[in-house]
Each structure stands twice: as structure tokens, then as C-alpha cells.
Amino acid sequence: MSIEIETVFHRRARSRSLLVSGLLVSALGVLAAELRKYFRRRATARALAHLSADDLKDIGLARTQFGYRELHQDRLGADYWNN
């Protein structure tokens, strides 16, 4: 093989390996971000679980069977969502 052909093959192989490693780093970054988001949500859920209904109402939330719901003055209140 000539030196030119070997150089072209080496460049292509190197660019492919850089592409794969770049994709791997990107995927790991996305995974890390999702894990951080998951653990933040778990910490928030644990903190909210310790609050009473009145405490939740003070911060504008109501407990429902599906989690928590925001309370709005111009919308249906907590009594509606608790039933």
C-alpha cells in the first residue's frame, strides 16, 4: 500500500473513533443530567411528604392521589382536588 492510502485509512479510522468517543461522552452527559434531575425530584418528594395539608396550602400546593397540584386563586381550590 502506498503512504497516501495508509494515511487516508488512518484519518478515517481516527475520525470514526473520535465520533464514537464524542457520542459516548454526550450520552454520559445526558445520563448524568437525568440522574441529577431524578435525585432532585426524589429529595423534593421526601421533603413534601413531611408537610401537613396546611403547610402545603401555605406554599400553594395540594396533595392528590397522583402527587401534588398547584393551587391557583382563579382556579379550582384544594377541596376540589382532595375529593
Side-chain angles (χ1 to χ4, degrees), residues 2-3 5 10 14 16 30-31 37 39 53 59 62 66 70 77:
S2 71
I3 293 179
I5 293 175
H10 285 289
R14 195 176 321 117
R16 284 189 192 120
V30 169
L31 178 64
K37 192 165 126 181
F39 287 119
I59 61 172
F66 302 112
E70 287 185 62

Side-chain angles (χ1 to χ4, degrees), residues 55-62 69-72:
D55 293 336
L56 288 171
K57 188 175 181 182
D58 288 343
I59 61 172
L61 293 174
R69 179 147 182 105
E70 287 185 62
L71 295 177
H72 297 280

Side-chain angles (χ1 to χ4, degrees), residues 18-36:
L18 289 175
L19 176 65
V20 170
S21 64
L23 288 174
L24 180 62
V25 169
S26 296
L28 288 175
V30 169
L31 178 64
E34 290 299 318
L35 281 173
R36 278 192 301 272

Side-chain angles (χ1 to χ4, degrees), residues 4 14 19 21 40 42 49-51 58 60 63 77 80:
E4 288 180 33
R14 195 176 321 117
L19 176 65
S21 64
R40 260 196 321 262
R42 275 187 60 192
H50 294 293
L51 297 177
D58 288 343
R63 197 174 271 121
Y80 177 82

